[in-house]
Every structure is written in structure tokens, then in C-alpha cells.
Amino acid sequence: MKLGLVLEGGGMRGIYTVGVLDCLMEENFRSDYVIGVSAGACNGASYVSRQKGRALRTNTEYIADSRYLSIRNFLKTKSLFGMDFLFDEIPNHLIPMDYETFYSDPCEFVIGVTDVITGSPKYFGKEMLEPKNTILRASSSIPVFAPIVEYQGGKYLDGGTTDAIPVKQAIKDGCDKVIVILTRERSYQKQPEKFRSIYHKIYKEYPKLVEALDSRHIQYNNTLAYLKQLEQEGKALVIAPDAPLPIGRFEKNPEQLKKVWNLGFDQTKKLMQSIREFSEINQSEAIV
């Protein structure tokens, strides 16, 4: 059986996912496959490299640094998040990522991005991730709040724009069962995008991207319906907040972030027996 982890994005709400993944690592629980978009992909990388606590440190220790998230960044680089700081300075110098383990671990790792030309999702495997982390950067580049990222002749933005919960891709890639980590409560239904007049103007040269943004809420809510179908078939287990998280996409309070991390960690700890039963993995069989 091929078991997948599917990680939603959500900016700083992704700290909930970090709590879930850190608990799974503490329990020596491994999957065969991980797919994520935006913050989900970033946090999933630390899971594949087996670095418990790394994503928590990344999301809290430098959040007060203007290089991480600030209007200053936006005025200087057209991105609220400091992309060079997040995807070069931190992983390569300040809180090093264990690339050796990341690449050698048998777990498949897939990053979702949005092709701005076609307005469709595109996926890259771990072998495409280089020291500058360009694909992670692209997957985390929120429309309007970050510039388009060019890579190998393509132009890309946030993977969550066209496939916010990439569960269909996980099934397409051969997963028999999936554990899906959401950063929204189960009752959440996405509404039409804000800033419609702004992104219509900014991306007038990319009509397919504009169409994707206009219909993003429909695609998202359809995915939620598909996810419920998978749950009924016994193919999916969902881990999600019990209520709306007390933080937003651009949260900068480290104490609030740690509280949300605790929510994810504690909730997963309580679910471990159900997770193992769903995954048909016993404590003694977990991969260390």
C-alpha cells in the first residue's frame, strides 16, 4: 500500500501543519509520499528531511525580522515575504536543511505550482529542488503579493491558486490512501477571491491565470466534496482544526504561532491510534 500525505498551504496558518508533522515525526510515523503547495510544500520538506522542530523554528524565530515578512519587503521586491531570506539565507545558513537526508529518503516529495500561462497546476518532484529552492519559492508566491517566478522557461505562482488541496494528484500518483492536513476547519467553504479588480489589471497578459483566480473558490469547494467522497470510501483521513485558527495568512506574533503549533501537535497526538489503524501501520512497524 502506498500512503500519501497531502498538505494544504495557507501562509502562516501552515504552522498548524507543522505541529501535525512534528508529532508524526516524534511518533516515527513515515509516509511513502508527500505532496504540498505553498506553505504546505515548505513544511513538508522538513518532514522528508526528518528534521523535527526545524519548520517551527523557521516560522517563529525570525518572524519579527523584517526580512521575513514586511511591507518593506513588498516595497523593495514586490513580495511581502522575503523570498531570498526564506529560501536561501534560512535553509542554507541560519537553520540549515539536511539536503542529504532529503534527497536520500525514499519518500516521494511533490511540489505544486501554478503555471501562469496555462492557468493550470504543475507538479515537480524533489529531484528538481536545487539550493536556491526556486520551486518552493514559486509555490509560495501568492498572487498580487509576490512576483511571478521564472524557472526553466516557465512562469509560476502559488500552487494553492489552482490546486490548494492536491489530493487528486496524490491519487493520480498512485497513493492508495491519503492523510490530508488542512489549515481550515472542516465546515469552511471558500468564497470568491478578493482584489478581483486588482489582479485583473496586474495579470491582464495572463488571461488563463485570471480565469483560474476567478474560479478558485469553485475548484477548492469541489475538492472538499471529493475529499468527503474519499473519506466515505475509506481512502482518506483528514486532520483539520476544530475551529477557525486564531491567526491569518500574515500572522507575525510568535506566541500566537506557537499556540497554533500546539493545536496541531496535540490534536495529532490524540489521533495517533486512528492514524495507525487507517494506515495499517503498527507502532512496532513504523519506519525509524
Side-chain angles (χ1 to χ4, degrees):
M1 184 190 76
K2 183 175 180 178
L3 175 67
L5 279 179
V6 178
L7 312 178
E8 183 179 16
M12 301 311 297
R13 287 194 304 272
I15 196 70
Y16 172 85
T17 300
V18 175
V20 175
L21 296 177
D22 277 352
C23 183
L24 294 180
M25 283 190 274
E26 181 171 285
E27 294 284 336
N28 293 322
F29 184 91
R30 305 296 296 175
S31 64
D32 306 299
Y33 172 100
V34 174
I35 185 169
V37 296
S38 196
C42 296
N43 297 326
S46 291
Y47 174 83
V48 177
S49 66
R50 306 191 181 209
Q51 291 176 276
K52 177 179 177 291
R54 180 182 177 274
L56 174 62
R57 291 185 60 201
T58 298
N59 281 276
T60 58
E61 289 188 10
Y62 293 96
I63 190 63
D65 191 316
S66 63
R67 294 175 296 173
Y68 190 115
L69 172 61
S70 66
I71 294 296
R72 175 185 173 186
N73 283 332
F74 189 76
L75 295 175
K76 184 178 180 180
T77 67
K78 304 302 181 184
S79 174
L80 279 176
F81 289 95
M83 295 306 197
D84 289 338
F85 185 67
L86 287 175
F87 297 105
D88 185 4
E89 185 67 17
I90 288 180
N92 292 316
H93 303 287
L94 299 176
I95 309 178
M97 181 172 163
D98 184 348
Y99 289 104
E100 182 177 356
T101 298
F102 174 81
Y103 290 117
S104 63
D105 191 281
C107 180
E108 292 181 52
F109 183 62
V110 179
I111 305 164
V113 299
T114 293
D115 186 318
V116 302
I117 304 297
T118 65
S120 300
K122 187 171 182 178
Y123 309 92
F124 292 89
K126 69 162 75 170
E127 70 280 357
M128 302 302 291
L129 199 63
E130 29 70 63
K132 294 292 185 181
N133 295 299
T134 306
I135 292 301
L136 283 178
R137 185 183 302 227
S139 187
S140 303
S141 294
I142 304 170
V144 178
F145 296 103
I148 292 171
V149 175
E150 297 189 16
Y151 180 70
Q152 294 190 347
K155 295 183 177 182
Y156 306 109
L157 280 173
D158 184 1
T161 301
T162 49
D163 197 6
I165 310 168
V167 62
K168 291 182 180 179
Q169 186 63 31
I171 299 299
K172 182 178 179 181
D173 286 344
C175 290
D176 301 290
K177 289 186 174 183
V178 289
I179 296 173
V180 182
I181 304 174
L182 303 178
T183 56
R184 296 282 195 178
E185 70 281 5
R186 290 308 305 271
S187 62
Y188 177 77
Q189 289 283 296
K190 184 172 283 296
Q191 300 302 310
E193 288 294 300
K194 300 177 181 178
F195 308 111
R196 192 170 186 270
S197 61
I198 296 176
Y199 69 70
H200 270 248
K201 181 178 181 180
I202 293 175
Y203 301 122
K204 61 183 179 180
E205 296 180 8
Y206 306 103
K208 295 295 184 181
L209 175 63
V210 171
E211 289 178 15
L213 287 164
D214 283 344
S215 61
R216 185 184 181 192
H217 63 295
I218 298 173
Q219 187 271 344
Y220 185 96
N221 296 333
N222 286 342
T223 300
L224 289 179
Y226 175 69
L227 184 53
K228 287 185 178 180
Q229 178 185 328
L230 289 179
E231 288 181 282
Q232 293 170 356
E233 296 172 355
K235 296 180 180 179
L237 184 151
V238 175
I239 303 175
D242 294 326
L245 294 175
I247 59 173
R249 176 178 284 185
F250 304 123
E251 178 65 55
K252 294 194 66 174
N253 185 325
E255 295 306 314
Q256 283 296 102
L257 292 169
K258 289 176 183 177
K259 287 180 181 178
V260 173
W261 178 91
N262 278 317
L263 286 175
F265 189 95
D266 293 344
Q267 187 175 353
T268 306
K269 185 71 82 171
K270 295 175 182 177
L271 289 172
M272 279 312 304
Q273 183 175 345
S274 297
I275 291 171
R276 292 196 186 282
E277 290 174 354
F278 170 80
S279 308
E280 300 177 353
I281 297 175
N282 296 320
Q283 178 79 22
S284 60
E285 296 173 328
I287 300 173
V288 180

